[in-house]
Amino acid sequence: RDRPTGAGFIAIACGMRHSAALRRDGAVVTWGSVTRGQRNDTPTCAGFVAIACGVYHTIALRDDGTVVTWGDVSFGQRNDAPTSDGFVAIACGAEH
């Protein structure tokens, strides 16, 4: 479903039923299921440097050190996302 094509991808992350890829220009592309909002609210801008997927959610790190999250919130995966900057790495657990 809506699988990306072309070249220029520098990273990929996989959740249970969705995937995310990071393009060289800093844009994020997602594909797969949307049953739990995995692809809803995927950012349409560039400026990302890292991505990570949980079971039904995704997080991305911007080049300014801020974090963006989207997808499922059943277990609070996105409820308390940090709003500060200065992050240099990200990781996702299954439901956190």
Side-chain angles (χ1 to χ4, degrees), residues 11-81:
I12 190 166
C14 297
M16 181 177 273
R17 294 189 175 110
H18 76 292
S19 300
L22 180 62
R23 291 187 183 273
R24 185 168 296 136
D25 67 0
V28 175
V29 178
T30 58
W31 67 99
S33 179
V34 295
T35 57
R36 299 241 182 131
Q38 299 95 308
R39 296 174 48 208
N40 297 350
D41 302 321
T42 299
T44 56
C45 56
F48 293 95
V49 296
I51 54 172
C53 290
V55 173
Y56 299 117
H57 67 289
T58 303
I59 64 173
L61 178 64
R62 290 186 176 277
D63 56 9
D64 65 1
T66 58
V67 175
V68 177
T69 63
W70 64 95
D72 189 36
V73 296
S74 297
F75 298 97
Q77 302 94 310
R78 300 174 45 206
N79 294 346
D80 295 320

Short mmCIF file of all heavy atoms in Angstrom, two decimals, residues 11-81:
data_model
loop_
_atom_site.label_atom_id
_atom_site.label_comp_id
_atom_site.label_asym_id
_atom_site.label_seq_id
_atom_site.Cartn_x
_atom_site.Cartn_y
_atom_site.Cartn_z
N ALA A 11 17.34 5.70 5.66
CA ALA A 11 16.99 4.92 6.86
C ALA A 11 15.59 4.35 6.67
O ALA A 11 14.76 4.92 5.96
CB ALA A 11 17.04 5.78 8.11
N ILE A 12 15.35 3.23 7.35
CA ILE A 12 14.02 2.61 7.32
C ILE A 12 13.74 2.04 8.71
O ILE A 12 14.66 1.60 9.41
CB ILE A 12 13.93 1.52 6.24
CG1 ILE A 12 12.49 1.06 6.06
CG2 ILE A 12 14.85 0.37 6.54
CD1 ILE A 12 12.25 0.26 4.81
N ALA A 13 12.48 2.09 9.11
CA ALA A 13 12.05 1.53 10.39
C ALA A 13 10.74 0.79 10.16
O ALA A 13 9.95 1.20 9.31
CB ALA A 13 11.88 2.63 11.44
N CYS A 14 10.52 -0.28 10.91
CA CYS A 14 9.31 -1.08 10.72
C CYS A 14 8.57 -1.27 12.02
O CYS A 14 9.17 -1.59 13.05
CB CYS A 14 9.67 -2.45 10.16
SG CYS A 14 10.43 -2.36 8.55
N GLY A 15 7.25 -1.08 11.96
CA GLY A 15 6.36 -1.41 13.07
C GLY A 15 5.72 -2.76 12.77
O GLY A 15 6.20 -3.52 11.94
N MET A 16 4.61 -3.05 13.43
CA MET A 16 3.96 -4.33 13.20
C MET A 16 3.33 -4.41 11.81
O MET A 16 3.50 -5.40 11.12
CB MET A 16 2.89 -4.60 14.26
CG MET A 16 2.21 -5.94 14.06
SD MET A 16 1.03 -6.31 15.34
CE MET A 16 2.10 -7.06 16.54
N ARG A 17 2.61 -3.37 11.43
CA ARG A 17 1.93 -3.38 10.13
C ARG A 17 2.16 -2.10 9.35
O ARG A 17 1.38 -1.75 8.49
CB ARG A 17 0.44 -3.61 10.34
CG ARG A 17 0.14 -4.97 10.89
CD ARG A 17 -1.34 -5.26 10.89
NE ARG A 17 -1.58 -6.61 11.32
CZ ARG A 17 -2.13 -6.95 12.47
NH1 ARG A 17 -2.52 -6.00 13.31
NH2 ARG A 17 -2.31 -8.20 12.78
N HIS A 18 3.20 -1.38 9.67
CA HIS A 18 3.54 -0.18 8.92
C HIS A 18 5.05 0.01 8.90
O HIS A 18 5.76 -0.60 9.69
CB HIS A 18 2.87 1.06 9.53
CG HIS A 18 3.50 1.57 10.78
ND1 HIS A 18 3.48 0.87 11.97
CD2 HIS A 18 4.20 2.70 11.02
CE1 HIS A 18 4.13 1.57 12.89
NE2 HIS A 18 4.57 2.68 12.34
N SER A 19 5.51 0.81 7.96
CA SER A 19 6.93 1.10 7.84
C SER A 19 7.12 2.59 7.58
O SER A 19 6.21 3.26 7.11
CB SER A 19 7.54 0.31 6.68
OG SER A 19 7.41 -1.07 6.90
N ALA A 20 8.29 3.07 7.88
CA ALA A 20 8.65 4.46 7.64
C ALA A 20 10.04 4.51 7.04
O ALA A 20 10.90 3.70 7.39
CB ALA A 20 8.61 5.26 8.94
N ALA A 21 10.24 5.43 6.13
CA ALA A 21 11.55 5.60 5.52
C ALA A 21 11.92 7.08 5.57
O ALA A 21 11.06 7.95 5.47
CB ALA A 21 11.54 5.11 4.08
N LEU A 22 13.20 7.32 5.72
CA LEU A 22 13.73 8.68 5.76
C LEU A 22 14.49 8.94 4.47
O LEU A 22 15.39 8.18 4.10
CB LEU A 22 14.66 8.83 6.97
CG LEU A 22 15.32 10.18 7.19
CD1 LEU A 22 14.27 11.27 7.43
CD2 LEU A 22 16.30 10.11 8.35
N ARG A 23 14.09 9.98 3.78
CA ARG A 23 14.76 10.36 2.53
C ARG A 23 16.00 11.22 2.83
O ARG A 23 16.09 11.84 3.89
CB ARG A 23 13.82 11.16 1.63
CG ARG A 23 12.69 10.35 1.07
CD ARG A 23 11.92 11.19 0.05
NE ARG A 23 10.80 10.50 -0.49
CZ ARG A 23 10.84 9.68 -1.55
NH1 ARG A 23 11.98 9.48 -2.16
NH2 ARG A 23 9.75 9.08 -1.99
N ARG A 24 16.90 11.24 1.91
CA ARG A 24 18.12 12.03 2.05
C ARG A 24 17.82 13.51 2.30
O ARG A 24 18.57 14.20 3.01
CB ARG A 24 18.97 11.88 0.78
CG ARG A 24 20.31 12.55 0.86
CD ARG A 24 21.22 12.13 -0.27
NE ARG A 24 21.46 10.70 -0.13
CZ ARG A 24 21.42 9.81 -1.12
NH1 ARG A 24 21.17 10.20 -2.33
NH2 ARG A 24 21.63 8.54 -0.90
N ASP A 25 16.71 14.02 1.77
CA ASP A 25 16.36 15.43 1.97
C ASP A 25 15.69 15.70 3.32
O ASP A 25 15.28 16.81 3.61
CB ASP A 25 15.47 15.94 0.84
CG ASP A 25 14.08 15.29 0.82
OD1 ASP A 25 13.79 14.43 1.67
OD2 ASP A 25 13.30 15.66 -0.08
N GLY A 26 15.54 14.65 4.16
CA GLY A 26 14.97 14.82 5.48
C GLY A 26 13.47 14.63 5.55
O GLY A 26 12.86 14.84 6.61
N ALA A 27 12.84 14.23 4.45
CA ALA A 27 11.40 13.95 4.45
C ALA A 27 11.15 12.52 4.92
O ALA A 27 11.97 11.63 4.71
CB ALA A 27 10.83 14.14 3.05
N VAL A 28 9.99 12.30 5.55
CA VAL A 28 9.59 10.98 6.03
C VAL A 28 8.44 10.46 5.16
O VAL A 28 7.51 11.20 4.85
CB VAL A 28 9.13 11.03 7.50
CG1 VAL A 28 8.61 9.69 7.96
CG2 VAL A 28 10.27 11.50 8.39
N VAL A 29 8.52 9.20 4.78
CA VAL A 29 7.48 8.54 4.00
C VAL A 29 7.02 7.33 4.80
O VAL A 29 7.84 6.59 5.35
CB VAL A 29 8.03 8.07 2.64
CG1 VAL A 29 6.96 7.35 1.84
CG2 VAL A 29 8.60 9.24 1.86
N THR A 30 5.70 7.13 4.91
CA THR A 30 5.17 5.95 5.61
C THR A 30 4.26 5.17 4.68
O THR A 30 3.67 5.73 3.75
CB THR A 30 4.39 6.33 6.88
OG1 THR A 30 3.31 7.20 6.52
CG2 THR A 30 5.28 7.01 7.90
N TRP A 31 4.15 3.86 4.93
CA TRP A 31 3.23 3.03 4.17
C TRP A 31 2.81 1.85 5.03
O TRP A 31 3.41 1.57 6.05
CB TRP A 31 3.84 2.57 2.85
CG TRP A 31 5.00 1.64 2.97
CD1 TRP A 31 4.99 0.28 2.83
CD2 TRP A 31 6.37 1.98 3.21
NE1 TRP A 31 6.25 -0.24 2.99
CE2 TRP A 31 7.12 0.78 3.22
CE3 TRP A 31 7.05 3.19 3.44
CZ2 TRP A 31 8.49 0.75 3.45
CZ3 TRP A 31 8.41 3.15 3.67
CH2 TRP A 31 9.11 1.96 3.66
N GLY A 32 1.75 1.20 4.61
CA GLY A 32 1.21 0.07 5.35
C GLY A 32 -0.16 0.37 5.92
O GLY A 32 -0.89 1.22 5.42
N SER A 33 -0.49 -0.30 7.00
CA SER A 33 -1.82 -0.22 7.60
C SER A 33 -2.07 1.13 8.27
O SER A 33 -1.15 1.79 8.75
CB SER A 33 -1.97 -1.34 8.63
OG SER A 33 -3.22 -1.28 9.25
N VAL A 34 -3.36 1.48 8.34
CA VAL A 34 -3.77 2.67 9.07
C VAL A 34 -4.82 2.32 10.13
O VAL A 34 -5.48 3.20 10.66
CB VAL A 34 -4.33 3.77 8.14
CG1 VAL A 34 -3.26 4.30 7.23
CG2 VAL A 34 -5.52 3.27 7.36
N THR A 35 -4.95 1.04 10.45
CA THR A 35 -6.01 0.60 11.36
C THR A 35 -5.91 1.23 12.74
O THR A 35 -6.91 1.38 13.43
CB THR A 35 -6.01 -0.93 11.52
OG1 THR A 35 -4.72 -1.34 11.97
CG2 THR A 35 -6.35 -1.60 10.21
N ARG A 36 -4.74 1.60 13.18
CA ARG A 36 -4.55 2.25 14.49
C ARG A 36 -3.88 3.61 14.34
O ARG A 36 -3.21 4.08 15.24
CB ARG A 36 -3.70 1.37 15.40
CG ARG A 36 -4.30 0.02 15.69
CD ARG A 36 -4.53 -0.14 17.17
NE ARG A 36 -5.08 -1.43 17.47
CZ ARG A 36 -4.62 -2.24 18.41
NH1 ARG A 36 -3.58 -1.88 19.13
NH2 ARG A 36 -5.19 -3.39 18.64
N GLY A 37 -4.05 4.21 13.19
CA GLY A 37 -3.50 5.54 12.96
C GLY A 37 -2.02 5.58 12.66
O GLY A 37 -1.40 6.64 12.72
N GLN A 38 -1.44 4.43 12.31
CA GLN A 38 0.00 4.36 12.10
C GLN A 38 0.52 5.39 11.11
O GLN A 38 1.64 5.86 11.23
CB GLN A 38 0.42 2.97 11.57
CG GLN A 38 0.11 1.83 12.47
CD GLN A 38 -1.22 1.17 12.13
OE1 GLN A 38 -2.23 1.82 12.02
NE2 GLN A 38 -1.21 -0.14 12.02
N ARG A 39 -0.27 5.72 10.11
CA ARG A 39 0.19 6.66 9.08
C ARG A 39 -0.49 8.01 9.19
O ARG A 39 -0.11 8.95 8.49
CB ARG A 39 -0.05 6.06 7.71
CG ARG A 39 0.77 4.81 7.49
CD ARG A 39 0.44 4.11 6.19
NE ARG A 39 0.41 5.04 5.09
CZ ARG A 39 -0.34 4.85 4.01
NH1 ARG A 39 -1.11 3.82 3.90
NH2 ARG A 39 -0.31 5.73 3.03
N ASN A 40 -1.50 8.13 10.04
CA ASN A 40 -2.18 9.42 10.19
C ASN A 40 -1.21 10.45 10.74
O ASN A 40 -0.41 10.17 11.61
CB ASN A 40 -3.37 9.29 11.15
CG ASN A 40 -4.43 8.35 10.62
OD1 ASN A 40 -4.38 7.92 9.48
ND2 ASN A 40 -5.38 8.03 11.46
N ASP A 41 -1.28 11.64 10.22
CA ASP A 41 -0.46 12.76 10.69
C ASP A 41 1.02 12.62 10.40
O ASP A 41 1.86 13.27 11.04
CB ASP A 41 -0.66 13.01 12.19
CG ASP A 41 -2.11 13.29 12.54
OD1 ASP A 41 -2.77 13.98 11.76
OD2 ASP A 41 -2.57 12.81 13.59
N THR A 42 1.39 11.78 9.43
CA THR A 42 2.80 11.72 9.03
C THR A 42 3.20 13.12 8.56
O THR A 42 2.52 13.71 7.73
CB THR A 42 3.01 10.72 7.88
OG1 THR A 42 2.63 9.42 8.32
CG2 THR A 42 4.47 10.69 7.43
N PRO A 43 4.29 13.67 9.09
CA PRO A 43 4.70 15.02 8.69
C PRO A 43 4.96 15.11 7.19
O PRO A 43 5.49 14.18 6.59
CB PRO A 43 6.00 15.25 9.47
CG PRO A 43 6.00 14.23 10.55
CD PRO A 43 5.19 13.08 10.06
N THR A 44 4.60 16.22 6.61
CA THR A 44 4.82 16.42 5.18
C THR A 44 6.00 17.33 4.90
O THR A 44 6.32 17.59 3.74
CB THR A 44 3.55 17.02 4.52
OG1 THR A 44 3.22 18.23 5.19
CG2 THR A 44 2.38 16.05 4.62
N CYS A 45 6.67 17.79 5.93
CA CYS A 45 7.82 18.67 5.75
C CYS A 45 9.12 17.86 5.79
O CYS A 45 9.12 16.67 6.10
CB CYS A 45 7.84 19.73 6.84
SG CYS A 45 7.82 19.04 8.51
N ALA A 46 10.22 18.50 5.52
CA ALA A 46 11.54 17.87 5.60
C ALA A 46 12.21 18.31 6.90
O ALA A 46 11.58 18.92 7.75
CB ALA A 46 12.37 18.27 4.39
N GLY A 47 13.48 17.99 7.05
CA GLY A 47 14.23 18.42 8.22
C GLY A 47 14.38 17.35 9.29
O GLY A 47 14.78 17.64 10.41
N PHE A 48 14.08 16.08 8.95
CA PHE A 48 14.23 15.00 9.91
C PHE A 48 15.57 14.29 9.70
O PHE A 48 16.09 14.23 8.59
CB PHE A 48 13.07 14.00 9.77
CG PHE A 48 11.76 14.60 10.19
CD1 PHE A 48 10.92 15.16 9.26
CD2 PHE A 48 11.40 14.63 11.52
CE1 PHE A 48 9.72 15.74 9.63
CE2 PHE A 48 10.21 15.21 11.91
CZ PHE A 48 9.36 15.76 10.96
N VAL A 49 16.13 13.76 10.80
CA VAL A 49 17.43 13.10 10.73
C VAL A 49 17.39 11.66 11.22
O VAL A 49 18.35 10.92 11.04
CB VAL A 49 18.50 13.89 11.51
CG1 VAL A 49 18.73 15.26 10.87
CG2 VAL A 49 18.13 14.04 12.98
N ALA A 50 16.28 11.24 11.85
CA ALA A 50 16.16 9.86 12.33
C ALA A 50 14.69 9.50 12.48
O ALA A 50 13.84 10.38 12.71
CB ALA A 50 16.87 9.69 13.68
N ILE A 51 14.39 8.19 12.35
CA ILE A 51 13.04 7.69 12.53
C ILE A 51 13.08 6.39 13.32
O ILE A 51 14.10 5.69 13.33
CB ILE A 51 12.33 7.42 11.17
CG1 ILE A 51 13.19 6.51 10.29
CG2 ILE A 51 11.98 8.72 10.47
CD1 ILE A 51 12.51 6.05 9.02
N ALA A 52 11.98 6.08 13.99
CA ALA A 52 11.85 4.82 14.72
C ALA A 52 10.36 4.46 14.76
O ALA A 52 9.51 5.35 14.85
CB ALA A 52 12.41 4.93 16.13
N CYS A 53 10.06 3.17 14.72
CA CYS A 53 8.67 2.71 14.76
C CYS A 53 8.46 1.79 15.96
O CYS A 53 9.30 0.94 16.25
CB CYS A 53 8.31 1.92 13.51
SG CYS A 53 8.20 2.91 12.02
N GLY A 54 7.32 1.97 16.62
CA GLY A 54 6.84 1.01 17.59
C GLY A 54 5.83 0.12 16.88
O GLY A 54 5.75 0.10 15.65
N VAL A 55 5.03 -0.61 17.62
CA VAL A 55 4.05 -1.49 17.00
C VAL A 55 3.10 -0.71 16.11
O VAL A 55 2.92 -1.04 14.94
CB VAL A 55 3.27 -2.28 18.08
CG1 VAL A 55 2.14 -3.08 17.45
CG2 VAL A 55 4.21 -3.23 18.81
N TYR A 56 2.48 0.35 16.65
CA TYR A 56 1.51 1.12 15.89
C TYR A 56 1.79 2.62 15.91
O TYR A 56 0.89 3.42 15.68
CB TYR A 56 0.10 0.89 16.43
CG TYR A 56 -0.38 -0.53 16.36
CD1 TYR A 56 -0.67 -1.24 17.52
CD2 TYR A 56 -0.56 -1.16 15.14
CE1 TYR A 56 -1.12 -2.55 17.46
CE2 TYR A 56 -1.01 -2.48 15.08
CZ TYR A 56 -1.29 -3.15 16.23
OH TYR A 56 -1.73 -4.45 16.17
N HIS A 57 2.98 3.03 16.21
CA HIS A 57 3.31 4.45 16.25
C HIS A 57 4.71 4.69 15.70
O HIS A 57 5.50 3.75 15.56
CB HIS A 57 3.19 5.00 17.68
CG HIS A 57 4.20 4.46 18.62
ND1 HIS A 57 4.18 3.16 19.08
CD2 HIS A 57 5.28 5.04 19.21
CE1 HIS A 57 5.19 2.97 19.92
NE2 HIS A 57 5.87 4.09 20.00
N THR A 58 4.99 5.95 15.38
CA THR A 58 6.29 6.33 14.81
C THR A 58 6.76 7.60 15.49
O THR A 58 5.95 8.47 15.85
CB THR A 58 6.16 6.57 13.30
OG1 THR A 58 5.63 5.39 12.68
CG2 THR A 58 7.50 6.90 12.66
N ILE A 59 8.06 7.72 15.67
CA ILE A 59 8.65 8.97 16.13
C ILE A 59 9.76 9.38 15.15
O ILE A 59 10.36 8.53 14.50
CB ILE A 59 9.19 8.91 17.58
CG1 ILE A 59 10.34 7.92 17.71
CG2 ILE A 59 8.10 8.56 18.55
CD1 ILE A 59 10.99 7.95 19.07
N ALA A 60 9.96 10.66 15.05
CA ALA A 60 11.01 11.18 14.17
C ALA A 60 11.74 12.31 14.88
O ALA A 60 11.14 13.08 15.63
CB ALA A 60 10.39 11.68 12.87
N LEU A 61 13.02 12.37 14.64
CA LEU A 61 13.88 13.40 15.23
C LEU A 61 14.18 14.45 14.18
O LEU A 61 14.66 14.13 13.09
CB LEU A 61 15.19 12.76 15.73
CG LEU A 61 16.23 13.68 16.34
CD1 LEU A 61 15.72 14.34 17.61
CD2 LEU A 61 17.52 12.90 16.61
N ARG A 62 13.89 15.70 14.51
CA ARG A 62 14.18 16.82 13.61
C ARG A 62 15.64 17.26 13.75
O ARG A 62 16.27 17.01 14.78
CB ARG A 62 13.29 18.02 13.93
CG ARG A 62 11.85 17.82 13.59
CD ARG A 62 11.14 19.16 13.84
NE ARG A 62 9.77 19.12 13.45
CZ ARG A 62 9.33 19.30 12.21
NH1 ARG A 62 10.18 19.50 11.25
NH2 ARG A 62 8.05 19.25 11.94
N ASP A 63 16.11 17.96 12.75
CA ASP A 63 17.49 18.44 12.78
C ASP A 63 17.73 19.51 13.85
O ASP A 63 18.87 19.82 14.18
CB ASP A 63 17.93 18.94 11.41
CG ASP A 63 17.04 20.02 10.82
OD1 ASP A 63 16.15 20.54 11.52
OD2 ASP A 63 17.22 20.33 9.63
N ASP A 64 16.65 20.04 14.45
CA ASP A 64 16.81 21.01 15.53
C ASP A 64 16.77 20.34 16.92
O ASP A 64 16.75 21.02 17.94
CB ASP A 64 15.77 22.12 15.45
CG ASP A 64 14.34 21.62 15.66
OD1 ASP A 64 14.13 20.41 15.88
OD2 ASP A 64 13.41 22.46 15.59
N GLY A 65 16.71 19.00 16.95
CA GLY A 65 16.72 18.27 18.22
C GLY A 65 15.36 18.06 18.84
O GLY A 65 15.25 17.57 19.96
N THR A 66 14.28 18.43 18.14
CA THR A 66 12.93 18.18 18.65
C THR A 66 12.41 16.85 18.11
O THR A 66 12.90 16.32 17.12
CB THR A 66 11.96 19.32 18.26
OG1 THR A 66 11.91 19.45 16.84
CG2 THR A 66 12.38 20.63 18.90
N VAL A 67 11.38 16.33 18.79
CA VAL A 67 10.81 15.03 18.45
C VAL A 67 9.36 15.21 18.01
O VAL A 67 8.61 15.99 18.61
CB VAL A 67 10.87 14.09 19.68
CG1 VAL A 67 10.17 12.78 19.42
CG2 VAL A 67 12.32 13.86 20.09
N VAL A 68 8.96 14.48 16.97
CA VAL A 68 7.59 14.47 16.46
C VAL A 68 7.08 13.04 16.54
O VAL A 68 7.81 12.10 16.22
CB VAL A 68 7.54 14.98 15.01
CG1 VAL A 68 6.13 14.90 14.46
CG2 VAL A 68 8.08 16.39 14.91
N THR A 69 5.83 12.86 17.00
CA THR A 69 5.25 11.53 17.12
C THR A 69 3.91 11.48 16.39
O THR A 69 3.22 12.48 16.28
CB THR A 69 5.01 11.14 18.59
OG1 THR A 69 4.05 12.04 19.15
CG2 THR A 69 6.29 11.20 19.39
N TRP A 70 3.55 10.29 15.90
CA TRP A 70 2.23 10.09 15.32
C TRP A 70 1.88 8.61 15.37
O TRP A 70 2.73 7.76 15.57
CB TRP A 70 2.15 10.64 13.89
CG TRP A 70 3.01 9.99 12.87
CD1 TRP A 70 2.65 8.99 12.00
CD2 TRP A 70 4.37 10.28 12.56
NE1 TRP A 70 3.70 8.64 11.19
CE2 TRP A 70 4.77 9.42 11.51
CE3 TRP A 70 5.30 11.18 13.09
CZ2 TRP A 70 6.05 9.45 10.98
CZ3 TRP A 70 6.57 11.19 12.55
CH2 TRP A 70 6.94 10.34 11.51
N GLY A 71 0.58 8.34 15.26
CA GLY A 71 0.10 6.96 15.32
C GLY A 71 -0.76 6.71 16.55
O GLY A 71 -1.36 7.63 17.11
N ASP A 72 -0.78 5.48 16.99
CA ASP A 72 -1.65 5.01 18.07
C ASP A 72 -1.30 5.66 19.41
O ASP A 72 -0.14 5.95 19.69
CB ASP A 72 -1.51 3.50 18.18
CG ASP A 72 -2.52 2.87 19.12
OD1 ASP A 72 -3.66 3.34 19.17
OD2 ASP A 72 -2.15 1.90 19.80
N VAL A 73 -2.33 5.87 20.23
CA VAL A 73 -2.13 6.42 21.58
C VAL A 73 -2.75 5.52 22.66
O VAL A 73 -2.90 5.95 23.79
CB VAL A 73 -2.71 7.85 21.71
CG1 VAL A 73 -1.98 8.80 20.81
CG2 VAL A 73 -4.18 7.88 21.44
N SER A 74 -3.10 4.29 22.31
CA SER A 74 -3.80 3.39 23.25
C SER A 74 -3.06 3.19 24.57
O SER A 74 -3.68 2.97 25.60
CB SER A 74 -4.02 2.03 22.60
OG SER A 74 -4.85 2.15 21.47
N PHE A 75 -1.74 3.24 24.53
CA PHE A 75 -0.94 3.01 25.74
C PHE A 75 -0.13 4.25 26.10
O PHE A 75 0.89 4.15 26.78
CB PHE A 75 -0.03 1.80 25.54
CG PHE A 75 -0.78 0.53 25.33
CD1 PHE A 75 -1.01 0.06 24.04
CD2 PHE A 75 -1.30 -0.18 26.40
CE1 PHE A 75 -1.73 -1.12 23.84
CE2 PHE A 75 -2.02 -1.35 26.21
CZ PHE A 75 -2.24 -1.81 24.92
N GLY A 76 -0.57 5.41 25.63
CA GLY A 76 0.12 6.65 25.96
C GLY A 76 1.38 6.91 25.16
O GLY A 76 2.19 7.75 25.55
N GLN A 77 1.56 6.20 24.05
CA GLN A 77 2.79 6.33 23.27
C GLN A 77 3.10 7.76 22.88
O GLN A 77 4.26 8.12 22.75
CB GLN A 77 2.70 5.52 21.96
CG GLN A 77 2.45 4.06 22.11
CD GLN A 77 0.98 3.72 22.03
OE1 GLN A 77 0.15 4.32 22.68
NE2 GLN A 77 0.64 2.71 21.25
N ARG A 78 2.08 8.57 22.68
CA ARG A 78 2.29 9.94 22.22
C ARG A 78 1.87 10.98 23.25
O ARG A 78 2.16 12.16 23.09
CB ARG A 78 1.50 10.17 20.94
CG ARG A 78 1.88 9.28 19.82
CD ARG A 78 0.98 9.44 18.62
NE ARG A 78 0.75 10.84 18.32
CZ ARG A 78 -0.33 11.29 17.71
NH1 ARG A 78 -1.27 10.47 17.33
NH2 ARG A 78 -0.48 12.57 17.47
N ASN A 79 1.20 10.58 24.30
CA ASN A 79 0.62 11.54 25.24
C ASN A 79 1.65 12.43 25.92
O ASN A 79 1.37 13.59 26.18
CB ASN A 79 -0.20 10.82 26.31
CG ASN A 79 -1.42 10.14 25.72
OD1 ASN A 79 -1.80 10.40 24.59
ND2 ASN A 79 -2.01 9.25 26.49
N ASP A 80 2.79 11.92 26.23
CA ASP A 80 3.79 12.68 26.95
C ASP A 80 5.06 12.88 26.13
O ASP A 80 6.17 12.90 26.68
CB ASP A 80 4.12 12.00 28.28
CG ASP A 80 2.93 11.99 29.22
OD1 ASP A 80 2.22 13.00 29.28
OD2 ASP A 80 2.70 10.96 29.87
N ALA A 81 4.91 13.04 24.83
CA ALA A 81 6.09 13.26 23.99
C ALA A 81 6.79 14.54 24.44
O ALA A 81 6.13 15.54 24.74
CB ALA A 81 5.68 13.37 22.53
#
